[in-house]
Amino acid sequence: MAKHATLPPLHYPAREEMTVEGVLRALADPVRLAIVRQLAATDQEISCSGLTVPVTKSTLTHHLSILRQAGVVAGRQEGTTRLNSLRRNDLDALFPGLLDGVLAAPR
């Protein structure tokens, strides 16, 4: 019987641990902003393979990690698939209008 590797739980900060500096730093990168735009365009979770960005899988993992550490996205594991979602409620509660302003900026 094959043994499946146990993946570490995904950590992201609680709402009260999020900072505007961390969020802005995470959103400043064009690839991370593209990820956030894709997540904002749907109410659904998106798997890592479902995100369309011009980077390698390992680089995508790095960008998602930075977004999670800042509190911008949440991730959860379902089998071998990692699902990502935008923490819009937390962002809007802490920093009203910030996400809408960033998403409305010209590309």
XYZ file of all heavy atoms in Angstrom:
808
model
N 0.834 -1.166 0.000
C 0.000 0.000 0.000
C 0.894 1.248 0.000
O 1.815 1.368 0.782
C -0.910 -0.021 1.228
C -1.821 1.150 1.194
S -3.377 1.166 2.065
C -3.319 0.461 3.580
N 0.616 2.188 -0.898
C 1.419 3.401 -1.003
C 1.088 4.345 0.151
O -0.059 4.497 0.541
C 1.149 4.098 -2.329
N 2.116 4.958 0.668
C 1.925 5.916 1.754
C 1.977 7.322 1.168
O 2.883 7.664 0.432
C 3.026 5.738 2.800
C 2.819 6.597 4.009
C 3.867 6.305 5.046
C 3.596 7.160 6.255
N 4.518 6.882 7.336
N 0.974 8.139 1.472
C 0.932 9.508 0.984
C 1.646 10.420 1.967
O 1.512 10.288 3.172
C -0.527 9.978 0.815
C -1.263 9.225 -0.237
N -1.016 9.406 -1.573
C -2.219 8.277 -0.162
C -1.797 8.612 -2.271
N -2.543 7.909 -1.436
N 2.400 11.343 1.408
C 3.092 12.318 2.247
C 2.070 13.256 2.883
O 1.101 13.644 2.251
C 4.075 13.126 1.413
N 2.298 13.575 4.138
C 1.432 14.525 4.811
C 1.994 15.911 4.577
O 3.151 16.181 4.890
C 1.365 14.229 6.318
O 0.894 12.907 6.498
C 0.440 15.192 7.022
N 1.186 16.766 4.010
C 1.625 18.127 3.737
C 1.422 18.980 4.980
O 0.453 18.793 5.716
C 0.839 18.712 2.564
C 1.052 17.988 1.243
C 0.061 18.478 0.201
C 2.462 18.196 0.745
N 2.338 19.918 5.215
C 2.175 20.779 6.391
C 0.941 21.658 6.234
O 0.565 22.021 5.122
C 3.455 21.622 6.385
C 3.956 21.566 4.990
C 3.498 20.262 4.419
N 0.297 21.992 7.346
C -0.872 22.873 7.252
C -0.446 24.246 6.741
O 0.667 24.694 6.984
C -1.390 22.955 8.685
C -0.248 22.544 9.537
C 0.614 21.639 8.710
N -1.352 24.881 6.029
C -1.063 26.207 5.494
C -1.331 27.242 6.576
O -2.390 27.262 7.177
C -1.945 26.474 4.269
C -1.724 25.518 3.112
C -2.726 25.785 2.003
C -0.313 25.635 2.587
N -0.352 28.092 6.806
C -0.507 29.126 7.832
C -0.764 30.470 7.170
O -0.138 30.818 6.184
C 0.741 29.239 8.695
C 0.681 30.415 9.624
N -0.113 30.425 10.745
C 1.271 31.628 9.573
C 0.003 31.604 11.344
N 0.838 32.347 10.660
N -1.694 31.191 7.712
C -1.891 32.587 7.350
C -2.333 33.311 8.609
O -2.884 32.711 9.523
C -2.884 32.766 6.195
C -4.173 32.002 6.319
C -5.277 32.568 6.936
C -4.291 30.711 5.820
C -6.455 31.878 7.058
C -5.477 30.014 5.936
C -6.554 30.599 6.543
O -7.727 29.920 6.673
N -2.049 34.604 8.691
C -2.313 35.326 9.936
C -3.797 35.509 10.218
O -4.614 35.575 9.305
C -1.639 36.681 9.706
C -1.609 36.847 8.228
C -1.478 35.466 7.659
N -4.111 35.598 11.486
C -5.468 35.968 11.884
C -5.694 37.417 11.464
O -4.740 38.171 11.233
C -5.620 35.826 13.399
N -6.935 37.805 11.360
C -7.275 39.162 10.920
C -6.511 40.225 11.709
O -5.953 41.157 11.137
C -8.780 39.389 11.041
C -9.203 40.782 10.586
C -10.662 41.052 10.831
N -11.488 40.392 9.835
C -12.789 40.601 9.706
N -13.414 41.435 10.510
N -13.490 39.969 8.793
N -6.470 40.076 13.033
C -5.824 41.099 13.865
C -4.301 41.139 13.704
O -3.650 42.069 14.151
C -6.206 40.936 15.339
C -5.832 39.612 15.943
C -6.879 38.509 15.745
O -7.877 38.717 15.027
O -6.681 37.426 16.312
N -3.729 40.143 13.055
C -2.280 40.116 12.829
C -1.877 40.737 11.485
O -0.696 40.960 11.228
C -1.763 38.675 12.861
C -1.949 37.990 14.191
C -1.609 36.518 14.145
O -1.939 35.828 13.160
O -0.988 36.042 15.126
N -2.846 41.008 10.627
C -2.554 41.557 9.305
C -2.191 43.033 9.420
O -2.752 43.751 10.245
C -3.764 41.373 8.379
C -4.063 39.923 8.079
S -5.692 39.645 7.340
C -5.589 40.589 5.836
N -1.233 43.470 8.586
C -0.843 44.879 8.574
C -0.986 45.434 7.160
O -0.843 44.706 6.181
C 0.618 45.069 9.026
O 1.488 44.459 8.066
C 0.859 44.474 10.408
N -1.256 46.721 7.062
C -1.374 47.355 5.756
C -0.039 47.301 5.023
O 0.004 47.110 3.805
C -1.938 48.794 5.860
C -0.935 49.741 6.490
C -2.394 49.297 4.501
N 1.067 47.423 5.752
C 2.386 47.349 5.118
C 2.622 45.981 4.484
O 3.108 45.890 3.351
C 3.507 47.629 6.145
C 3.479 49.019 6.724
C 2.581 49.146 7.956
O 1.910 48.168 8.347
O 2.536 50.250 8.531
N 2.262 44.923 5.209
C 2.438 43.571 4.678
C 1.564 43.311 3.468
O 1.999 42.711 2.486
N 0.333 43.790 3.522
C -0.596 43.610 2.404
C -0.096 44.372 1.183
O -0.050 43.831 0.065
C -2.026 44.047 2.801
C -2.936 44.113 1.587
C -2.592 43.104 3.851
N 0.303 45.624 1.365
C 0.793 46.416 0.238
C 2.066 45.829 -0.356
O 2.234 45.803 -1.579
C 1.025 47.867 0.665
C -0.245 48.670 0.945
C 0.111 50.035 1.525
C -1.101 48.810 -0.306
N 2.948 45.332 0.484
C 4.180 44.697 0.006
C 3.846 43.480 -0.853
O 4.421 43.274 -1.916
C 5.046 44.306 1.202
C 6.514 44.423 0.964
C 7.421 44.204 2.173
N 6.823 43.844 3.451
C 6.610 44.698 4.447
N 6.908 45.966 4.323
N 6.089 44.286 5.581
N 2.882 42.682 -0.387
C 2.489 41.484 -1.126
C 1.836 41.839 -2.465
O 2.067 41.174 -3.472
C 1.539 40.635 -0.284
N 1.044 42.902 -2.475
C 0.330 43.290 -3.697
C 1.202 44.061 -4.681
O 0.806 44.269 -5.828
C -0.886 44.136 -3.333
C -1.993 43.416 -2.571
C -3.069 44.403 -2.145
C -2.580 42.284 -3.388
N 2.396 44.490 -4.270
C 3.252 45.312 -5.122
C 3.858 44.541 -6.294
O 4.247 45.133 -7.286
C 4.366 45.943 -4.287
N 3.920 43.224 -6.199
C 4.515 42.413 -7.262
C 3.483 42.130 -8.354
O 2.363 41.722 -8.043
C 5.026 41.097 -6.677
C 5.712 40.251 -7.716
O 5.015 39.467 -8.385
O 6.930 40.397 -7.872
N 3.837 42.304 -9.634
C 2.869 42.095 -10.721
C 2.304 40.676 -10.790
O 1.127 40.490 -11.099
C 3.656 42.420 -11.989
C 4.860 43.161 -11.551
C 5.111 42.810 -10.115
N 3.111 39.674 -10.493
C 2.620 38.290 -10.531
C 1.618 38.068 -9.407
O 0.551 37.489 -9.611
C 3.787 37.276 -10.450
C 3.263 35.853 -10.265
C 4.669 37.368 -11.689
N 1.937 38.550 -8.214
C 1.018 38.382 -7.089
C -0.264 39.164 -7.316
O -1.356 38.696 -6.990
C 1.701 38.778 -5.778
C 2.813 37.803 -5.418
C 3.300 37.966 -3.999
N 4.055 39.174 -3.767
C 5.365 39.296 -3.906
N 6.093 38.271 -4.316
N 5.962 40.443 -3.636
N -0.156 40.334 -7.909
C -1.352 41.114 -8.230
C -2.207 40.371 -9.250
O -3.442 40.354 -9.140
C -0.963 42.499 -8.740
C -2.111 43.465 -9.007
C -3.012 43.625 -7.785
C -1.567 44.815 -9.447
N -1.584 39.724 -10.220
C -2.328 38.928 -11.206
C -3.065 37.776 -10.527
O -4.216 37.466 -10.866
C -1.384 38.400 -12.287
N -2.436 37.149 -9.556
C -3.080 36.066 -8.797
C -4.298 36.614 -8.056
O -5.383 36.029 -8.102
C -2.076 35.428 -7.812
C -0.986 34.671 -8.576
C -2.796 34.508 -6.825
C 0.206 34.265 -7.709
N -4.120 37.743 -7.388
C -5.222 38.348 -6.625
C -6.355 38.759 -7.554
O -7.533 38.547 -7.236
C -4.709 39.541 -5.785
C -5.852 40.340 -5.185
C -3.777 39.032 -4.686
N -6.036 39.296 -8.720
C -7.077 39.662 -9.690
C -7.895 38.428 -10.098
O -9.115 38.500 -10.199
C -6.466 40.304 -10.927
C -5.976 41.719 -10.725
C -5.473 42.292 -12.049
N -4.730 43.529 -11.899
C -5.268 44.722 -11.763
N -6.571 44.861 -11.732
N -4.511 45.791 -11.634
N -7.218 37.314 -10.328
C -7.923 36.089 -10.709
C -8.816 35.586 -9.575
O -9.950 35.182 -9.812
C -6.923 35.000 -11.124
C -6.245 35.302 -12.445
C -5.168 34.312 -12.772
O -5.412 33.107 -12.803
N -3.957 34.802 -13.022
N -8.309 35.629 -8.366
C -9.109 35.186 -7.221
C -10.286 36.127 -6.975
O -11.375 35.680 -6.601
C -8.234 35.085 -5.967
C -7.199 33.963 -5.979
C -6.243 34.117 -4.810
C -7.870 32.596 -5.974
N -10.087 37.422 -7.201
C -11.153 38.406 -6.991
C -12.252 38.282 -8.037
O -13.394 38.674 -7.789
C -10.577 39.819 -7.003
N -11.922 37.728 -9.187
C -12.887 37.630 -10.282
C -13.885 36.486 -10.097
O -14.833 36.358 -10.869
C -12.150 37.459 -11.613
N -13.682 35.669 -9.072
C -14.570 34.537 -8.835
C -14.856 34.381 -7.353
O -14.072 34.813 -6.513
C -13.955 33.234 -9.391
O -14.863 32.160 -9.166
C -12.634 32.899 -8.728
N -15.977 33.784 -7.048
C -16.294 33.452 -5.654
C -15.805 32.051 -5.308
O -15.988 31.588 -4.199
C -17.806 33.537 -5.410
C -18.311 34.964 -5.408
O -17.525 35.876 -5.090
O -19.496 35.173 -5.728
N -15.203 31.399 -6.281
C -14.739 30.023 -6.113
C -13.275 29.990 -5.681
O -12.514 30.913 -5.964
C -14.870 29.263 -7.439
C -16.252 29.281 -8.042
C -17.260 28.536 -7.196
O -16.991 27.428 -6.754
N -18.417 29.135 -6.982
N -12.892 28.913 -5.030
C -11.478 28.680 -4.753
C -10.824 28.267 -6.072
O -11.472 27.657 -6.922
C -11.309 27.554 -3.741
C -11.869 27.883 -2.368
C -11.844 26.690 -1.449
O -12.353 25.622 -1.845
O -11.303 26.823 -0.345
N -9.565 28.603 -6.225
C -8.832 28.227 -7.432
C -7.621 27.402 -7.020
O -6.859 27.798 -6.134
C -8.372 29.461 -8.231
C -9.566 30.324 -8.635
C -7.579 29.041 -9.464
C -9.188 31.601 -9.377
N -7.436 26.269 -7.683
C -6.263 25.442 -7.403
C -5.026 26.134 -7.963
O -5.118 27.004 -8.840
C -6.419 24.068 -8.051
O -6.369 24.186 -9.459
N -3.877 25.743 -7.478
C -2.625 26.335 -7.968
C -2.515 26.150 -9.482
O -2.131 27.072 -10.193
C -1.432 25.702 -7.261
S -1.378 26.070 -5.493
N -2.870 24.972 -9.973
C -2.776 24.713 -11.417
C -3.819 25.487 -12.210
O -3.687 25.658 -13.418
C -2.905 23.217 -11.697
O -4.177 22.749 -11.296
N -4.855 26.010 -11.545
C -5.890 26.776 -12.216
C -5.563 28.257 -12.355
O -6.281 29.000 -13.020
N -4.473 28.686 -11.726
C -4.052 30.086 -11.826
C -3.199 30.267 -13.078
O -2.318 29.463 -13.357
C -3.254 30.484 -10.586
C -4.062 30.547 -9.293
C -3.135 30.596 -8.083
C -5.000 31.730 -9.307
N -3.479 31.311 -13.829
C -2.757 31.571 -15.073
C -1.760 32.695 -14.847
O -2.128 33.874 -14.831
C -3.756 31.977 -16.185
O -4.756 30.971 -16.272
C -3.056 32.129 -17.507
N -0.504 32.318 -14.626
C 0.578 33.285 -14.447
C 1.824 32.740 -15.156
O 2.021 31.534 -15.215
C 0.879 33.552 -12.953
C -0.214 34.377 -12.311
C 1.075 32.273 -12.187
N 2.657 33.642 -15.696
C 3.811 33.217 -16.492
C 5.044 32.878 -15.652
O 6.123 33.425 -15.863
C 4.067 34.444 -17.375
C 3.686 35.595 -16.501
C 2.502 35.097 -15.702
N 4.877 31.975 -14.674
C 6.001 31.578 -13.830
C 5.989 30.061 -13.653
O 4.981 29.403 -13.909
C 5.939 32.269 -12.439
C 6.081 33.780 -12.560
C 4.668 31.912 -11.695
N 7.104 29.528 -13.186
C 7.195 28.096 -12.927
C 6.352 27.732 -11.701
O 5.974 28.602 -10.911
C 8.655 27.674 -12.663
O 9.103 28.322 -11.468
C 9.565 28.027 -13.834
N 6.123 26.453 -11.546
C 5.324 25.972 -10.410
C 5.967 26.365 -9.075
O 5.284 26.810 -8.161
C 5.167 24.457 -10.507
C 4.291 23.866 -9.440
C 4.143 22.371 -9.616
C 3.326 21.785 -8.493
N 3.186 20.331 -8.607
N 7.292 26.237 -8.978
C 7.964 26.577 -7.719
C 7.883 28.078 -7.433
O 7.726 28.492 -6.285
C 9.420 26.111 -7.730
O 10.146 26.757 -8.749
N 7.965 28.897 -8.477
C 7.846 30.339 -8.289
C 6.421 30.715 -7.902
O 6.204 31.580 -7.049
C 8.296 31.093 -9.563
O 9.641 30.723 -9.848
C 8.215 32.594 -9.384
N 5.439 30.044 -8.494
C 4.040 30.273 -8.120
C 3.835 29.939 -6.647
O 3.191 30.697 -5.913
C 3.101 29.442 -8.998
C 1.619 29.480 -8.615
C 1.066 30.897 -8.687
C 0.830 28.542 -9.512
N 4.395 28.840 -6.205
C 4.292 28.440 -4.800
C 4.879 29.524 -3.898
O 4.308 29.861 -2.862
C 5.024 27.100 -4.572
O 4.387 26.103 -5.373
C 4.986 26.673 -3.113
N 6.005 30.084 -4.297
C 6.641 31.160 -3.532
C 5.723 32.386 -3.450
O 5.530 32.960 -2.375
C 7.976 31.533 -4.179
C 8.612 32.747 -3.606
N 9.210 32.763 -2.364
C 8.730 34.006 -4.093
C 9.673 33.979 -2.118
N 9.392 34.751 -3.149
N 5.151 32.786 -4.586
C 4.261 33.958 -4.601
C 3.021 33.723 -3.739
O 2.595 34.612 -3.009
C 3.852 34.296 -6.035
C 4.919 34.987 -6.815
N 5.432 36.219 -6.460
C 5.576 34.627 -7.940
C 6.357 36.591 -7.335
N 6.472 35.636 -8.251
N 2.439 32.538 -3.818
C 1.266 32.226 -2.991
C 1.627 32.240 -1.510
O 0.838 32.689 -0.678
C 0.662 30.881 -3.393
C -0.115 30.904 -4.709
C -0.401 29.490 -5.193
C -1.413 31.677 -4.549
N 2.809 31.784 -1.186
C 3.265 31.803 0.206
C 3.361 33.230 0.733
O 2.925 33.524 1.854
C 4.627 31.109 0.308
O 5.127 31.206 1.614
N 3.892 34.133 -0.061
C 3.990 35.540 0.347
C 2.597 36.135 0.538
O 2.341 36.843 1.517
C 4.814 36.344 -0.680
C 6.278 35.917 -0.587
C 4.660 37.856 -0.456
C 7.166 36.468 -1.671
N 1.679 35.833 -0.377
C 0.306 36.328 -0.245
C -0.371 35.767 1.006
O -1.086 36.479 1.714
C -0.506 35.981 -1.498
C -0.158 36.786 -2.751
C -0.782 36.146 -3.986
C -0.595 38.234 -2.603
N -0.133 34.489 1.306
C -0.705 33.876 2.513
C -0.120 34.502 3.765
O -0.838 34.828 4.705
C -0.448 32.367 2.528
C -1.570 31.546 1.998
C -1.439 30.074 2.313
N -0.108 29.534 2.135
C 0.400 29.127 0.981
N -0.308 29.209 -0.121
N 1.610 28.633 0.915
N 1.207 34.680 3.805
C 1.863 35.244 4.989
C 1.383 36.657 5.278
O 1.328 37.068 6.435
C 3.377 35.225 4.804
C 3.962 33.836 4.842
C 5.419 33.803 4.395
O 6.059 34.830 4.216
N 5.938 32.605 4.204
N 1.014 37.402 4.235
C 0.500 38.762 4.419
C -0.978 38.762 4.797
O -1.507 39.778 5.228
C 0.702 39.573 3.138
N -1.645 37.624 4.602
C -3.065 37.538 4.918
C -3.974 37.851 3.745
O -5.185 37.943 3.913
N -3.414 38.014 2.552
C -4.213 38.370 1.385
C -5.022 37.173 0.886
O -6.166 37.324 0.472
C -3.315 38.929 0.254
C -4.120 39.232 -1.003
C -2.581 40.177 0.735
N -4.426 35.999 0.933
C -5.134 34.791 0.496
C -5.107 33.741 1.596
O -4.260 33.764 2.483
C -4.545 34.191 -0.812
C -4.592 35.171 -1.958
C -3.148 33.673 -0.603
N -6.066 32.844 1.494
C -6.097 31.667 2.352
C -5.926 30.464 1.445
O -6.305 30.504 0.269
C -7.426 31.571 3.102
N -5.345 29.427 1.979
C -5.179 28.200 1.212
C -5.569 27.014 2.050
O -5.451 27.038 3.273
N -6.067 26.008 1.362
C -6.377 24.764 2.071
C -6.066 23.593 1.156
O -6.086 23.719 -0.067
C -7.818 24.727 2.547
C -8.855 24.609 1.458
C -10.268 24.539 2.035
N -11.216 24.373 0.956
C -11.607 23.205 0.460
N -11.120 22.090 0.949
N -12.474 23.146 -0.537
N -5.734 22.494 1.781
C -5.363 21.294 1.057
C -6.579 20.390 0.937
O -7.300 20.180 1.904
C -4.254 20.579 1.831
C -3.454 19.636 1.015
C -2.560 20.337 0.009
O -2.069 21.419 0.239
N -2.380 19.712 -1.126
N -6.824 19.891 -0.263
C -7.877 18.899 -0.482
C -7.249 17.768 -1.281
O -7.063 17.882 -2.491
C -9.045 19.528 -1.235
C -10.258 18.608 -1.301
C -11.472 19.318 -1.863
O -12.087 20.099 -1.114
O -11.777 19.069 -3.042
N -6.876 16.703 -0.575
C -6.137 15.622 -1.227
C -4.777 16.154 -1.659
O -4.042 16.709 -0.864
N -4.481 16.021 -2.941
C -3.207 16.518 -3.452
C -3.341 17.909 -4.071
O -2.388 18.449 -4.607
C -2.643 15.559 -4.520
O -3.601 15.436 -5.572
C -2.342 14.203 -3.925
N -4.523 18.488 -3.970
C -4.781 19.799 -4.564
C -4.775 20.879 -3.497
O -5.379 20.724 -2.440
C -6.146 19.805 -5.282
O -6.148 18.771 -6.262
C -6.418 21.133 -5.944
N -4.094 21.965 -3.794
C -4.092 23.114 -2.894
C -5.048 24.152 -3.479
O -4.890 24.586 -4.607
C -2.686 23.676 -2.773
C -2.585 24.769 -1.745
C -1.165 25.044 -1.369
N -0.736 24.023 -0.408
C 0.468 23.962 0.127
N 1.379 24.826 -0.211
N 0.778 23.032 0.991
N -6.050 24.537 -2.684
C -7.055 25.503 -3.126
C -6.796 26.852 -2.469
O -6.480 26.921 -1.283
C -8.450 24.997 -2.780
C -8.836 23.682 -3.458
C -10.124 23.139 -2.867
C -8.959 23.873 -4.951
N -6.942 27.904 -3.255
C -6.643 29.258 -2.797
C -7.871 30.133 -2.920
O -8.652 30.011 -3.866
C -5.526 29.853 -3.676
C -4.311 28.971 -3.692
O -3.549 28.941 -2.734
N -4.123 28.222 -4.768
N -8.028 31.037 -1.954
C -9.143 31.979 -2.001
C -8.676 33.326 -1.455
O -7.754 33.405 -0.649
C -10.331 31.468 -1.182
O -9.953 31.271 0.167
N -9.313 34.363 -1.937
C -9.010 35.721 -1.510
C -9.697 35.997 -0.177
O -10.873 35.671 -0.007
C -9.502 36.703 -2.578
C -9.212 38.174 -2.367
C -7.705 38.428 -2.337
C -9.853 38.985 -3.488
N -9.001 36.585 0.761
C -9.581 36.926 2.068
C -10.220 38.304 2.000
O -9.902 39.205 2.766
C -8.507 36.854 3.145
C -8.015 35.436 3.383
C -6.950 35.379 4.442
N -7.491 35.767 5.745
C -6.733 35.928 6.834
N -5.431 35.757 6.771
N -7.290 36.290 7.976
N -11.135 38.466 1.072
C -11.760 39.769 0.816
C -12.453 40.327 2.059
O -12.320 41.508 2.370
C -12.747 39.680 -0.341
C -13.384 41.020 -0.649
C -14.326 40.964 -1.816
N -13.710 41.194 -3.092
C -13.348 42.395 -3.543
N -13.508 43.457 -2.790
N -12.815 42.539 -4.722
N -13.198 39.502 2.786
C -13.909 40.002 3.972
C -12.939 40.595 4.994
O -13.200 41.661 5.550
C -14.745 38.895 4.611
C -15.933 38.507 3.761
O -16.348 39.253 2.881
N -16.476 37.336 4.009
N -11.844 39.902 5.239
C -10.855 40.403 6.196
C -10.196 41.676 5.675
O -10.028 42.652 6.420
C -9.783 39.344 6.475
C -10.331 38.177 7.272
O -11.280 38.381 8.055
O -9.805 37.060 7.125
N -9.816 41.681 4.400
C -9.168 42.861 3.826
C -10.100 44.065 3.840
O -9.692 45.168 4.201
C -8.694 42.555 2.399
C -7.537 41.563 2.300
C -7.374 41.062 0.866
C -6.244 42.183 2.804
N -11.361 43.855 3.454
C -12.324 44.968 3.428
C -12.627 45.488 4.828
O -12.824 46.692 5.023
C -13.613 44.546 2.728
C -13.447 44.388 1.219
O -12.414 44.840 0.668
O -14.347 43.799 0.594
N -12.666 44.597 5.815
C -12.943 45.021 7.192
C -11.784 45.830 7.769
O -11.999 46.836 8.441
C -13.223 43.798 8.073
N -10.563 45.399 7.493
C -9.393 46.073 8.053
C -8.991 47.329 7.282
O -8.586 48.326 7.872
C -8.201 45.115 8.063
C -8.220 44.024 9.116
C -7.113 43.019 8.845
C -8.075 44.623 10.510
N -9.076 47.243 5.970
C -8.583 48.323 5.107
C -9.650 48.664 4.070
O -9.519 48.331 2.890
C -7.280 47.893 4.415
C -6.310 47.173 5.323
C -5.995 45.841 5.118
C -5.730 47.826 6.404
C -5.113 45.170 5.949
C -4.845 47.162 7.246
C -4.536 45.828 7.027
N -10.724 49.340 4.495
C -11.844 49.622 3.590
C -11.398 50.339 2.313
O -10.675 51.328 2.370
C -12.766 50.522 4.425
C -12.389 50.245 5.843
C -10.922 49.910 5.819
N -11.810 49.796 1.180
C -11.522 50.404 -0.113
C -10.161 50.071 -0.694
O -9.923 50.301 -1.879
N -9.251 49.530 0.107
C -7.900 49.245 -0.386
C -7.919 48.246 -1.539
O -7.357 48.521 -2.608
C -7.002 48.723 0.746
C -5.603 48.293 0.300
C -4.781 49.510 -0.115
C -4.898 47.531 1.383
N -8.551 47.116 -1.331
C -8.551 46.081 -2.363
C -9.270 46.565 -3.614
O -8.768 46.373 -4.736
C -9.202 44.792 -1.829
C -9.085 43.586 -2.746
C -7.628 43.260 -3.057
C -9.762 42.392 -2.115
N -10.395 47.217 -3.447
C -11.120 47.738 -4.619
C -10.260 48.738 -5.390
O -10.232 48.723 -6.617
C -12.442 48.396 -4.206
C -13.479 47.382 -3.762
O -13.391 46.211 -4.198
O -14.360 47.755 -2.977
N -9.536 49.587 -4.672
C -8.664 50.557 -5.316
C -7.538 49.894 -6.084
O -7.218 50.272 -7.214
N -6.926 48.897 -5.473
C -5.830 48.179 -6.124
C -6.338 47.440 -7.362
O -5.712 47.485 -8.424
C -5.156 47.192 -5.132
C -4.220 46.239 -5.840
C -4.410 47.969 -4.052
N -7.485 46.787 -7.233
C -8.027 46.020 -8.359
C -8.497 46.930 -9.487
O -8.494 46.533 -10.655
C -9.170 45.123 -7.887
C -8.766 44.003 -6.929
C -10.003 43.294 -6.398
C -7.819 43.029 -7.596
N -8.897 48.152 -9.170
C -9.380 49.093 -10.194
C -8.241 49.789 -10.932
O -8.459 50.385 -11.986
C -10.286 50.140 -9.553
N -7.029 49.704 -10.394
C -5.883 50.376 -11.031
C -5.642 49.788 -12.420
O -5.829 48.591 -12.631
C -4.645 50.217 -10.160
N -5.217 50.627 -13.355
C -4.914 50.136 -14.705
C -3.840 49.057 -14.655
O -2.935 49.120 -13.815
C -4.414 51.364 -15.439
C -4.828 52.537 -14.622
C -4.978 52.050 -13.226
N -3.934 48.121 -15.572
C -2.951 47.035 -15.618
C -1.701 47.458 -16.324
O -1.654 48.279 -17.150
C -3.540 45.820 -16.312
C -4.658 45.270 -15.479
C -5.279 44.072 -16.088
N -6.400 43.737 -15.205
C -6.987 42.600 -15.170
N -6.609 41.651 -15.960
N -7.978 42.370 -14.367
